[in-house]
Amino acid sequence: MDSAEFRRRGKEMVDFVADYLEGIEGRQVYPDVEPGYLRPLIPTTAPEEPDMFEDIISDVEKIIMPGVTHWHSPFFFAYFPSANSYPALLADILCGAIGCIGFSWAASPACTELETVMMDWLGKMLKLPEAFLAGQVGEGGGVIQGSASEATLVALLAARTKVTRRLQAASPGLTQGAIMEKLVAYSSDQVVATLGTTSCCSFDNLLEVGPICNKEDMWLHIDAAYAGSSFICPEFRHLLNGVEFADSFNFNPHKWLLVNFDCSAMWVKKRTDLIGAFKLDPLYLKHNHQDSGLITDYRHWQLPLGRRFRSLKMWFVFRMYGVKGLQAYIRKHVRLAHEFERLVQQDPRFEICTEVTLGLVCFRLKGSNRLNEELLERINSAKKIHLVPCHLRDKFVLRFAICARTVESAHVQLAWKHVAQLATSLLATPRD
Amino acid sequence: MDSAEFRRRGKEMVDFVADYLEGIEGRQVYPDVEPGYLRPLIPTTAPEEPDMFEDIISDVEKIIMPGVTHWHSPFFFAYFPSANSYPALLADILCGAIGCIGFSWAASPACTELETVMMDWLGKMLKLPEAFLAGQVGEGGGVIQGSASEATLVALLAARTKVTRRLQAASPGLTQGAIMEKLVAYSSDQVVATLGTTSCCSFDNLLEVGPICNKEDMWLHIDAAYAGSSFICPEFRHLLNGVEFADSFNFNPHKWLLVNFDCSAMWVKKRTDLIGAFKLDPLYLKHNHQDSGLITDYRHWQLPLGRRFRSLKMWFVFRMYGVKGLQAYIRKHVRLAHEFERLVQQDPRFEICTEVTLGLVCFRLKGSNRLNEELLERINSAKKIHLVPCHLRDKFVLRFAICARTVESAHVQLAWKHVAQLATSLLATPRD
């Protein structure tokens, strides 16, 4: 494929994608396929000679789409939102074309520097304490990780390295093995200190935990994977109070801030803590500026060596929405969650299971777990909407998460009507 | 931005990207910017109101491009290739639009199933032993990781879990801590067992190492991050002999197989070894089919929870190039490396430092390290081509890696002429 054909096919693909997203509401949100559906539909080996583009794009509709769970359908209320916006799609096309691997400043200075500045922009949107920002002379700063799991692992390894060095400095006789045996990582039953858990979007109390960690010289990592995006709205910022006690903080703009996956934003107060844990300096990665103190080599901030130019997505999204546009987006989702909450509350057969703080409503039929499992089974078998459950204490609970960028009140109303009807028919069924 | 504007801007972006890649040869391969160049060029905070798309795209040329190291310039001979092909760019647009997060089969069956089948296609291209393929009933199978580092870490953790369980089954009194203290991970001075090291593309002897590992019940992980792509050509497949002794094998199609970053292909012989180490099953990720034995939940095969629909890139690339097209691409690069090798050999001032097997030539001026450091400094200051060095034993060596998809004999010839001229002027400089 030469560049002339790419121009043609690329524009066709842009139309294909726009058609897909415009028409997504008309597609069944959850697929009908059974396990193993795909293998018989395609050849057992790659073709020797090139296939035609027309055949491939037609196979996308014939083979791929029937097996897709449509995360961006306005009838998708499962898991948590996964960001998908046009500005991010545009930026990703550019990111792919530049195709640099930004493991060091020299490997593409723009890739590193835009990331540092975008993480400062985002930190300021959240009103993070100054200590987390890179600025021009700060000791802190931000980095884009692939996922919250990676951010947590990075924080854990940095914390381990730091405490190991401290203990070895204090008692030079201590072996690494002896230290390892004594180390403890504290976590709640959902994970590290968490703002907005996946199950029910609950919040740990940082103002209690934080001072204890600081006093005991313990590394405090805070994960706000989903909820973090809401902190750009002044009315939700209080949920982040106590972040000033943390050593590292992380949330996922790829969930709820319209920056397509993957983009997990992580900040640390002392960048030397990360660099100390991961420093990797073979000669082929060295460059003139690296010992100048002026630059950032992000390979020392993460587990993998390679990294894409992901800050372009942040730049495009922040500029094309503006902070006000992003706030409006968050507020719309929270408003829709409360709308659903009220609908549930008005139906005496149902109960709300946890306080609705952001875009997630945990609810259930008053009654047994078995009854709620059956209700969910009927909802997901009907495939008009898609939900997943969680356990809260011993209760089986349905999660209704506002997910799609294009979800509106009408979708929420339809979804509720559908759930209520299924409940009616379920409750009318004779039971053992 | 609505879908109508996306259609317009998306097509403009396709043209921008095609223009960029068509004209990349005319851009200076390595940028002139100094550390900190970018921050003063953009605002200190995100805009409150949306910016115009025209302004953003004009800033790409004004602010980003001057700081880009152009990895896809045919004058870029640094590090290793990073894949960039039009079919992969097209697939990535689609991947972004579908925007599913394929952590389980149910989260998007097509995402999981295409990945399994594409990994089988690729495994067959490499003539991997049948045990590594998933097929319909196999115990092995492939998974796309983000990077070779992740693949290695996954293999290490799986190996650790496996041996810990074996030892605890044999001696139920053993604590995990006691076992940990005894575990050893063997590696060469470049890493795990490696086919095609980064420094000089050397190869470990699997036929020696493999049987020892098998006899001693040690997990053998093989990393062929760069070289792996070449094994699709029968004349290079012998480099992979001995893979039959391995438990896990990994290489990066995102380096040399035209599948854009990230796409690191990893296979295991027993998928239960991975799943045993990483299994994570909160209720909100459970689905009806998961205990049927029929499906794959890839979240158990990797560190992060989230994952993109990366197999689309493989599918598009394999189909639009065909195996023959991919082989021709590998062979062109190897031929160009040998062309450069011959040019070096014909100049008595220079020496070749290691056997040229694939697309990397390690060479140096006969003489001191200092002399070679100065030569590299002059090459990279002139910015007509871009190289990075390595150390081989105590020698400072220049690495000439065939990287760009569009590099041809003319670029190699020009590059050599340039290096030879710089050497001439360097050698004419009076020295201390």
Side-chain angles (χ1 to χ4, degrees):
Chain A
M1 177 176 278
D2 60 13
S3 65
E5 196 189 351
F6 172 72
R7 287 179 200 271
R8 185 152 72 96
R9 301 312 189 182
K11 291 166 193 177
E12 289 173 16
M13 185 57 88
V14 166
D15 278 325
F16 185 93
V17 158
D19 290 344
Y20 169 67
L21 291 173
E22 273 176 5
I24 199 165
E25 193 169 331
R27 291 179 188 257
Q28 181 173 292
V29 59
Y30 188 82
D32 284 325
V33 299
E34 291 295 317
Y37 89 96
L38 185 137
R39 191 179 285 272
L41 302 179
I42 66 178
T44 55
T45 55
E48 284 295 308
E49 306 285 344
D51 281 351
M52 304 283 289
F53 183 77
E54 287 84 350
D55 293 337
I56 298 172
I57 202 79
S58 124
D59 282 349
V60 169
E61 201 52 78
K62 278 200 308 231
I63 298 172
I64 302 301
M65 287 302 178
V68 169
T69 303
H70 299 289
W71 281 59
H72 305 291
S73 160
F75 295 116
F76 181 91
F77 302 104
Y79 314 112
F80 266 141
S82 174
N84 195 350
S85 72
Y86 290 125
L89 288 177
L90 293 174
D92 256 349
I93 301 174
L94 181 62
C95 167
I98 292 177
C100 61
I101 308 296
F103 42 61
S104 69
W105 181 86
S108 220
C111 178
T112 293
E113 297 205 6
L114 187 66
E115 181 162 333
T116 307
V117 176
M118 284 305 103
M119 291 298 295
D120 274 3
W121 275 22
L122 184 55
K124 288 176 190 172
M125 280 191 234
L126 299 178
K127 304 221 184 316
L128 276 188
E130 188 83 15
F132 286 105
L133 306 183
Q136 292 192 39
V137 291
E139 289 181 33
V143 58
I144 303 174
Q145 304 281 355
S147 65
S149 326
E150 274 177 70
T152 303
L153 185 54
V154 163
L156 197 66
L157 294 173
R160 196 177 76 176
T161 305
K162 192 176 188 175
V163 70
T164 303
R165 288 188 187 155
R166 194 174 65 217
L167 294 175
Q168 282 183 324
S171 318
L174 273 181
T175 67
Q176 195 145 349
I179 293 173
M180 291 300 214
E181 284 215 322
K182 304 285 180 205
L183 294 183
V184 177
Y186 293 93
S187 69
S188 77
D189 67 342
Q190 310 280 344
V191 280
V192 287
T194 308
L195 300 179
T197 57
T198 305
S199 290
C200 62
C201 203
S202 64
F203 291 80
D204 283 332
N205 189 336
L206 297 184
L207 294 171
E208 274 179 22
V209 171
I212 298 171
C213 290
N214 283 192
K215 188 166 155 247
E216 303 292 337
D217 226 348
M218 286 161 64
W219 185 290
L220 176 61
H221 176 71
I222 298 175
D223 178 354
Y226 163 68
S229 298
S230 73
F231 307 154
I232 65 167
C233 298
E235 67 272 32
F236 301 119
R237 173 58 178 77
H238 69 93
L239 296 168
L240 187 58
N241 287 349
V243 70
E244 56 274 18
F245 298 110
D247 296 282
S248 51
F249 168 67
N250 157 254
F251 85 99
N252 291 348
H254 69 229
K255 281 202 166 67
W256 202 15
L257 209 60
L258 295 162
V259 182
N260 285 28
F261 190 87
D262 54 324
C263 179
S264 182
M266 179 189 193
W267 290 265
V268 287
K269 273 197 191 142
K270 284 199 193 308
R271 65 178 90 171
T272 47
D273 288 342
L274 293 192
I275 298 169
F278 296 105
K279 198 159 188 176
L280 174 75
D281 266 333
L283 187 62
Y284 52 84
L285 295 180
K286 282 194 194 294
H287 54 87
N288 287 340
H289 292 292
Q290 75 174 33
D291 299 319
S292 65
L294 295 172
I295 56 93
T296 298
D297 283 339
Y298 272 125
R299 72 179 175 282
H300 304 312
W301 296 55
Q302 62 175 20
L303 298 174
L305 180 57
R307 53 205 332 276
R308 281 172 298 131
F309 200 160
R310 291 173 290 196
S311 57
L312 285 173
K313 290 188 287 201
M314 298 171 79
W315 198 42
F316 274 51
V317 167
F318 298 163
R319 293 185 68 179
M320 296 190 72
Y321 279 90
V323 175
K324 286 187 183 169
L326 295 170
Q327 288 170 335
Y329 174 70
I330 295 287
R331 286 171 181 146
K332 180 181 87 166
H333 274 204
V334 178
R335 199 170 55 240
L336 291 174
H338 285 299
E339 181 172 339
F340 189 82
E341 179 190 24
R342 279 191 303 275
L343 291 166
V344 175
Q345 283 167 337
Q346 286 160 17
D347 189 324
R349 301 172 299 174
F350 284 89
E351 60 189 353
I352 294 288
C353 306
T354 52
E355 189 188 345
V356 177
T357 313
L358 299 171
L360 177 67
V361 184
C362 291
F363 73 108
R364 70 198 300 278
L365 275 170
K366 292 169 186 165
S368 69
N369 282 350
R370 175 77 191 285
L371 187 71
N372 281 284
E373 285 170 28
E374 281 190 34
L375 175 61
L376 183 70
E377 174 66 31
R378 291 188 183 208
I379 293 171
N380 284 337
S381 300
K383 299 180 185 177
K384 289 194 175 177
I385 64 174
H386 190 49
L387 305 185
V388 293
C390 68
H391 273 142
L392 292 183
R393 273 137 277 148
D394 293 331
K395 295 202 161 164
F396 184 94
V397 168
L398 280 66
R399 295 170 75 265
F400 185 89
I402 304 293
C403 286
R405 178 173 52 77
T406 57
V407 62
E408 299 293 345
S409 171
H411 304 105
V412 169
Q413 294 285 342
L414 268 173
W416 170 250
K417 211 164 154 182
H418 179 57
V419 169
Q421 277 168 355
L422 291 175
T424 301
S425 84
L426 173 64
L427 293 170
T429 311
R431 310 186 63 74
D432 318 327
Chain B
M1 178 176 275
D2 60 13
S3 66
E5 196 189 351
F6 172 71
R7 286 179 200 270
R8 184 153 72 97
R9 301 312 189 183
K11 291 165 191 176
E12 289 173 17
M13 184 58 88
V14 165
D15 277 325
F16 185 93
V17 157
D19 289 344
Y20 169 67
L21 291 172
E22 272 176 5
I24 200 166
E25 193 169 333
R27 293 180 189 255
Q28 181 174 290
V29 60
Y30 188 82
D32 284 326
V33 299
E34 292 294 318
Y37 89 96
L38 184 137
R39 191 178 284 273
L41 301 180
I42 66 177
T44 55
T45 56
E48 283 295 308
E49 305 286 344
D51 282 352
M52 304 283 290
F53 183 77
E54 287 84 349
D55 293 337
I56 298 172
I57 202 79
S58 126
D59 282 349
V60 169
E61 201 52 81
K62 279 200 307 230
I63 297 172
I64 303 301
M65 287 302 178
V68 169
T69 303
H70 298 289
W71 280 59
H72 306 290
S73 160
F75 294 116
F76 181 92
F77 301 104
Y79 315 112
F80 266 140
S82 175
N84 196 351
S85 71
Y86 290 125
L89 289 176
L90 294 174
D92 256 349
I93 301 174
L94 182 62
C95 167
I98 293 177
C100 62
I101 307 297
F103 41 63
S104 69
W105 182 86
S108 221
C111 177
T112 293
E113 297 205 7
L114 187 65
E115 182 162 332
T116 306
V117 177
M118 284 304 104
M119 291 298 296
D120 273 4
W121 274 23
L122 183 56
K124 288 176 190 172
M125 282 192 232
L126 299 178
K127 303 219 185 317
L128 277 187
E130 188 83 14
F132 286 105
L133 305 184
Q136 291 190 40
V137 291
E139 290 181 34
V143 58
I144 304 175
Q145 304 280 357
S147 65
S149 325
E150 275 177 69
T152 303
L153 186 54
V154 163
L156 198 66
L157 294 173
R160 196 177 75 175
T161 304
K162 191 175 189 175
V163 71
T164 302
R165 288 188 187 156
R166 194 174 65 218
L167 293 176
Q168 282 182 326
S171 317
L174 271 181
T175 67
Q176 195 147 347
I179 293 172
M180 291 300 213
E181 284 215 322
K182 305 284 180 204
L183 294 183
V184 178
Y186 293 92
S187 68
S188 76
D189 66 343
Q190 311 279 345
V191 279
V192 287
T194 308
L195 300 178
T197 57
T198 306
S199 290
C200 63
C201 202
S202 64
F203 291 80
D204 283 332
N205 189 336
L206 298 184
L207 294 171
E208 274 180 21
V209 171
I212 297 171
C213 289
N214 283 190
K215 188 166 155 245
E216 304 292 337
D217 224 348
M218 286 162 64
W219 186 289
L220 176 60
H221 176 70
I222 299 175
D223 177 355
Y226 163 68
S229 299
S230 73
F231 306 154
I232 66 166
C233 299
E235 66 271 32
F236 301 120
R237 173 58 178 77
H238 68 94
L239 296 167
L240 186 60
N241 287 348
V243 71
E244 56 274 19
F245 298 110
D247 296 282
S248 52
F249 168 67
N250 155 255
F251 85 99
N252 292 347
H254 70 227
K255 281 201 166 67
W256 201 16
L257 208 59
L258 295 162
V259 183
N260 287 26
F261 189 86
D262 53 325
C263 179
S264 182
M266 179 187 193
W267 290 266
V268 287
K269 271 195 193 147
K270 284 200 193 305
R271 66 178 91 169
T272 47
D273 288 342
L274 292 192
I275 297 168
F278 296 106
K279 197 157 187 176
L280 174 75
D281 266 334
L283 188 61
Y284 51 84
L285 296 180
K286 282 196 195 292
H287 55 87
N288 287 342
H289 292 293
Q290 75 175 32
D291 300 318
S292 66
L294 295 171
I295 57 92
T296 298
D297 284 338
Y298 272 127
R299 71 179 176 281
H300 305 310
W301 297 54
Q302 62 176 18
L303 298 174
L305 179 57
R307 52 204 334 276
R308 282 173 296 131
F309 200 161
R310 290 174 291 197
S311 57
L312 286 172
K313 290 188 288 201
M314 298 170 79
W315 198 42
F316 274 51
V317 167
F318 297 163
R319 293 185 66 179
M320 296 190 71
Y321 279 90
V323 175
K324 285 188 183 168
L326 295 171
Q327 288 171 334
Y329 173 70
I330 297 287
R331 286 170 180 146
K332 181 182 88 167
H333 273 204
V334 177
R335 197 169 59 240
L336 291 174
H338 285 299
E339 180 172 339
F340 189 81
E341 178 189 25
R342 280 191 302 277
L343 291 165
V344 175
Q345 283 167 335
Q346 284 160 19
D347 188 325
R349 302 172 299 174
F350 284 88
E351 59 188 355
I352 294 288
C353 305
T354 52
E355 189 187 344
V356 176
T357 312
L358 299 170
L360 177 67
V361 185
C362 291
F363 73 108
R364 68 197 303 276
L365 276 170
K366 293 169 187 166
S368 68
N369 283 350
R370 176 74 192 283
L371 187 71
N372 281 284
E373 285 170 28
E374 281 190 34
L375 176 61
L376 183 70
E377 173 68 31
R378 292 189 182 208
I379 292 171
N380 283 338
S381 301
K383 299 179 184 177
K384 289 194 175 179
I385 63 175
H386 189 50
L387 305 184
V388 293
C390 68
H391 273 141
L392 293 182
R393 271 135 280 149
D394 293 330
K395 294 202 164 167
F396 184 94
V397 168
L398 282 64
R399 295 170 75 266
F400 187 89
I402 305 293
C403 286
R405 179 174 51 80
T406 56
V407 61
E408 299 292 345
S409 171
H411 304 105
V412 169
Q413 294 285 340
L414 268 173
W416 169 249
K417 211 163 153 183
H418 178 58
V419 169
Q421 277 168 354
L422 290 175
T424 301
S425 83
L426 174 64
L427 294 168
T429 312
R431 311 188 61 74
D432 318 329

